[in-house]
């Protein structure tokens, strides 16, 4: 009798595509299932692991980045293999993964960004927060992006989430305070030349609905050169928001308290300002000679929708907020993978509680599962992905126990990649590269040195292999 997938004789062969938090938490959940023997092959298009923790979490938030220690420990499991520098859809097709694995978990996050969809978005000086974040983090996709920081004195950041906090803080913080982090060298160099002294943070709703965490805005207020400036009329809550706030998490109440206290402080005397604006929705980006010069906003009042949630209702009142640089930080979107269904409206992989669908509203696709942002959309902190991935793994185990959801592999990924001459980065390769990045960084007084060019990274990997 052939042993069943998941037994000691025939471990369950699982591919996890993507090596960010949701991918690692899926591996952890699989390894923890009692009685299940799993072989996990984690695939990443980059030569380096850790997804958003490496390429998204801000360089001055090393405490958040330290979560990789947990992932490194997981990777020591004998059933774990890493294949970096392997792009699904190019080096290997989705249909070929079906021939190599029993189950496939998509942990591909949301790598693109939402557009504002207003006139002027194509002007020079208008950027996505995604590019800026990737750029300062040394993400290979964004290394060649140019931000004209030297000729800008005022920037505007659209959106009131934690990404807008990261972007605002990096723009306003002293570069000296970033020098010892793992910030990309090209970014530090440009930030040293930056003339940005003022950032307008544009929220389309009020202080009670701000999506940022209190400690993020508090961190900006603690910067030695920066005043957080809030207009008293915009800090004051409307009657719906005041009632609504009573039922919200403590973090929303802490934000409101912080913002109203700052409204009382006025302009302050520090040389750099974060102007937190509320109930202002961008309607147009204004330009001169092809460059952005201002954000035209429409003022709004908040009115409850059918669920009682305060939503902006536009007033016939407009304002032009000067800005030489504009960053949209209004959320992320998934990028479609050829051979895998994509929900264009939500920007995610269509799924039923983690089981991938053939198409939006379609049947479940055998053997395919999804975790993290690609499953639920771009929400939550790093740790949110742990229970989320565990929930998908529970569906996988339930399907396995019921004899469904398993593909019938007849090939192996390693052999396929070798046949094609794909130079995949193993976990051993990464361990060496990791030590190299830390050593070269340390020699220059930095946490680590990141090489943002894939070719150069691969050259280092090959040298380190000896
Ligand atoms: P987010 O938390 O969803 O915030 C998006 C913001 O954009 C909201 O304020 C939203 O306002 C606004 N927005 C959306 N469409 C808009 C439009 N057309 N015009 C104006 N404003 C618009 O998203 P995020 O900041 O990208 O963060 C993604 C996730 O990563 C979040 O869960 C975040 O907490 C997490 N993250 C955490 C950290 C950290 O812990 N340090 C750092 C970065 C990111 P409405 O509320 O009105 O829709």
């Amino acid at each position: 009798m052939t042993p069943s997938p998941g037994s000691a004789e025939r471990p369950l062969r699982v591919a996890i595509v993507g090596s960010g938090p949701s991918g690692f938490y899926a591996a952890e959940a699989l390894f923890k299932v009692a009685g299940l023997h799993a072989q996990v092959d984690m695939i990443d298009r980059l030569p380096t692991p850790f997804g958003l923790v490496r390429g998204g979490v801000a360089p001055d938030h090393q405490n958040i980045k330290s979560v990789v220690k947990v992932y490194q420990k997981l990777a020591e499991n004998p059933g774990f293999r890493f294949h970096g520098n392997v792009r699904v859809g190019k080096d290997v097709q989705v249909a070929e993964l079906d021939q190599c694995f029993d189950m496939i978990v998509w942990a591909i996050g949301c790598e693109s960004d939402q557009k504002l969809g207003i006139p002027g978005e194509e002007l020079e000086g208008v950027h996505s927060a995604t590019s800026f974040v990737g750029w300062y983090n040394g993400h290979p996709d964004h290394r060649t992006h140019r931000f004209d920081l030297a000729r800008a004195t005022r920037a505007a950041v659209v959106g009131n989430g934690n990404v807008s906090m990261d972007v605002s803080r990096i723009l306003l913080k002293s570069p000296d305070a970033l020098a010892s982090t793992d910030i990309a060298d090209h970014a530090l160099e440009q930030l040293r030349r930056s003339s940005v002294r003022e950032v307008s943070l544009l929220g389309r709703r009020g202080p009670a609905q701000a999506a940022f965490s209190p400690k993020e805005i508090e961190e900006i207020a603690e910067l030695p050169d920066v005043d957080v400036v809030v207009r008293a009329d915009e800090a004051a809550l409307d009657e719906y928001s005041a009632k609504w706030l009573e039922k919200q998490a403590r973090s929303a109440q802490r934000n409101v308290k912080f913002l109203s206290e700052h409204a009382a402080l006025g302009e302050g005397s520090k040389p750099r300002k974060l102007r937190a604006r509320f109930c202002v929705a961008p309607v147009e980006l204004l330009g001169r000679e092809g460059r952005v010069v201002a954000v035209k906003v429409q003022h709004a009042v908040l009115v409850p929708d059918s669920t009682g949630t305060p939503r902006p209702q536009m007033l016939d009142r407009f304002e032009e907020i000067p800005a030489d640089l504009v960053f949209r930080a209004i959320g992320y979107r998934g990028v479609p993978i050829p051979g895998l269904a994509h929900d264009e409206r939500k920007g995610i992989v269509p799924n039923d509680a983690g089981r991938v669908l053939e198409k939006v509203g379609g049947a479940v696709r055998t053997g395919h599962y999804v975790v993290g942002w690609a499953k639920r959309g771009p929400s939550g902190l790093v740790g949110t992905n742990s229970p989320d991935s565990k929930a998908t793994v529970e569906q996988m185990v339930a399907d396995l126990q019921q004899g469904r959801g398993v593909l019938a592999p007849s090939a192996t990924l390693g052999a396929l990649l070798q046949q094609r001459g794909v130079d995949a980065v193993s976990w051993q390769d990464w361990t060496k590269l990791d030590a190299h990045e830390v050593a070269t960084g340390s020699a220059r007084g930095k946490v680590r040195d990141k090489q943002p060019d894939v070719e150069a990274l691969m050259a280092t990997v090959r040298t380190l292999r000896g």
Side-chain angles (χ1 to χ4, degrees):
M1 209 175 82
T2 18
S4 53
S7 60
E9 306 77 49
R10 166 62 170 86
L12 185 74
R13 288 158 62 173
V14 181
I16 298 180
V17 185
S19 64
S22 66
F24 271 100
Y25 290 126
E28 179 177 44
L30 277 163
F31 289 143
K32 275 191 177 164
V33 177
L36 179 76
H37 295 265
Q39 164 64 51
V40 169
D41 284 65
M42 187 175 271
I43 302 168
D44 203 294
R45 68 184 178 89
L46 293 180
T48 52
F50 307 138
L52 262 194
V53 175
R54 181 176 166 102
V57 173
D60 56 343
H61 279 176
Q62 291 294 323
N63 53 337
I64 302 181
K65 284 191 193 267
S66 70
V67 71
V68 299
K69 287 188 194 139
V70 176
Y71 310 153
Q72 267 154 345
K73 192 96 202 113
L74 268 167
E76 287 169 14
N77 190 304
F80 180 91
R81 275 194 295 244
F82 181 65
H83 310 268
N85 195 37
V86 175
R87 189 187 283 267
V88 176
K90 181 175 159 265
D91 299 314
V92 57
Q93 301 304 321
V94 175
E96 289 170 329
L97 291 182
D98 283 1
Q99 291 160 15
C100 297
F101 296 96
D102 295 307
M103 291 176 158
I104 297 145
V105 180
W106 296 96
I108 49 180
C110 289
E111 294 200 299
S112 184
D113 56 283
Q114 299 281 4
K115 302 277 179 297
L116 282 162
I118 58 174
E121 217 164 343
E122 71 298 338
L123 287 166
E124 220 177 297
V126 180
H127 305 277
S128 72
T130 316
S131 309
F132 189 61
V133 168
W135 175 76
Y136 64 60
N137 259 318
H139 191 296
D141 288 1
H142 306 287
R143 74 192 169 91
T144 57
H145 209 102
R146 292 284 168 264
F147 301 91
D148 216 344
L149 299 171
R151 62 186 276 183
T153 54
R154 286 175 293 205
V157 179
V158 184
N160 250 347
N162 281 329
V163 170
S164 64
M165 289 290 112
D166 283 344
V167 170
S168 304
R169 189 180 69 257
I170 298 292
L171 284 170
L172 289 169
K173 197 167 184 165
S174 156
D176 285 342
L178 296 167
S180 65
T181 70
D182 60 352
I183 191 167
D185 287 346
H186 58 235
L188 187 63
E189 193 187 310
Q190 293 305 312
L191 285 164
R192 286 198 187 283
R193 296 199 190 130
S194 171
S195 315
V196 175
R197 296 293 174 266
E198 197 171 298
V199 174
S200 295
L201 183 67
L202 308 180
R204 64 177 169 184
R205 295 196 286 162
Q209 294 82 29
F212 49 71
S213 309
K215 68 180 176 53
E216 300 298 323
I217 185 103
E218 288 162 11
E219 187 179 341
I220 297 182
E222 283 158 16
L223 294 176
D225 290 344
V226 183
D227 286 310
V228 173
V229 183
V230 189
R231 286 165 51 147
D233 57 336
E234 291 179 358
L237 294 194
D238 59 276
E239 79 177 277
Y240 299 119
S241 292
K243 261 199 217 121
W244 181 79
L245 183 64
E246 287 168 13
K247 292 185 232 116
Q248 300 310 304
R250 289 252 306 276
S251 57
Q253 294 162 13
R254 195 165 130 193
N255 274 344
V256 168
K257 183 166 176 283
F258 171 90
L259 291 162
S260 71
E261 282 167 4
H262 275 262
L265 296 178
E267 270 291 301
S269 55
K270 296 180 185 164
R272 299 175 186 216
K273 310 282 179 201
L274 176 76
R275 297 189 183 279
R277 302 291 312 270
F278 296 97
C279 291
V280 286
V283 288
E284 188 176 353
L285 302 175
L286 306 174
R288 198 177 306 130
E289 291 163 13
R291 288 194 62 85
V292 72
V293 292
V295 184
K296 183 174 177 183
V297 295
Q298 187 164 11
H299 287 253
V301 284
L302 297 175
V303 292
D305 67 8
S306 56
T307 67
T309 308
R311 300 276 174 212
Q313 189 178 72
M314 297 306 156
L315 299 171
D316 191 20
R317 191 150 65 86
F318 297 85
E319 181 183 340
E320 289 177 15
I321 298 173
D324 320 300
L325 280 172
V326 175
F327 297 89
R328 48 171 191 272
I330 60 168
Y332 290 80
R333 289 182 60 76
V335 176
I337 296 236
L340 182 72
H342 180 70
D343 183 334
E344 189 48 41
R345 194 174 62 82
K346 295 184 182 160
I348 60 169
V349 176
N351 70 94
D352 178 5
R355 291 184 175 99
V356 172
L357 304 179
E358 297 279 0
K359 59 177 186 184
V360 178
V364 167
R365 178 168 179 177
T366 303
H368 288 254
Y369 299 85
V370 60
V371 291
W373 279 9
K375 170 187 175 185
R376 64 176 194 275
S379 67
L381 308 178
V382 170
T384 313
N385 293 297
S386 175
D388 175 285
S389 293
K390 188 165 175 269
T392 293
V393 168
E394 280 164 10
Q395 308 280 17
M396 293 165 70
V397 172
D399 288 352
L400 182 67
Q401 282 166 351
Q402 286 166 31
R404 58 177 199 203
V406 184
L407 300 158
S410 56
T412 69
L413 180 67
L416 195 79
L417 295 175
Q418 210 169 20
Q419 225 174 51
R420 283 195 187 149
V422 177
D423 192 2
V425 173
S426 66
W427 193 258
Q428 202 191 3
D429 291 336
W430 158 247
T431 309
K432 287 182 188 163
L433 181 61
D434 182 31
H436 172 79
E437 285 187 343
V438 172
T440 48
S442 156
R444 300 173 55 219
K446 295 184 69 174
V447 168
R448 81 168 54 231
D449 231 355
K450 280 188 200 159
Q451 168 57 259
D453 176 59
V454 169
E455 281 314 310
L457 267 173
M458 287 308 296
T460 308
V461 167
R462 287 178 201 121
T463 310
L464 293 170
R465 275 178 191 151

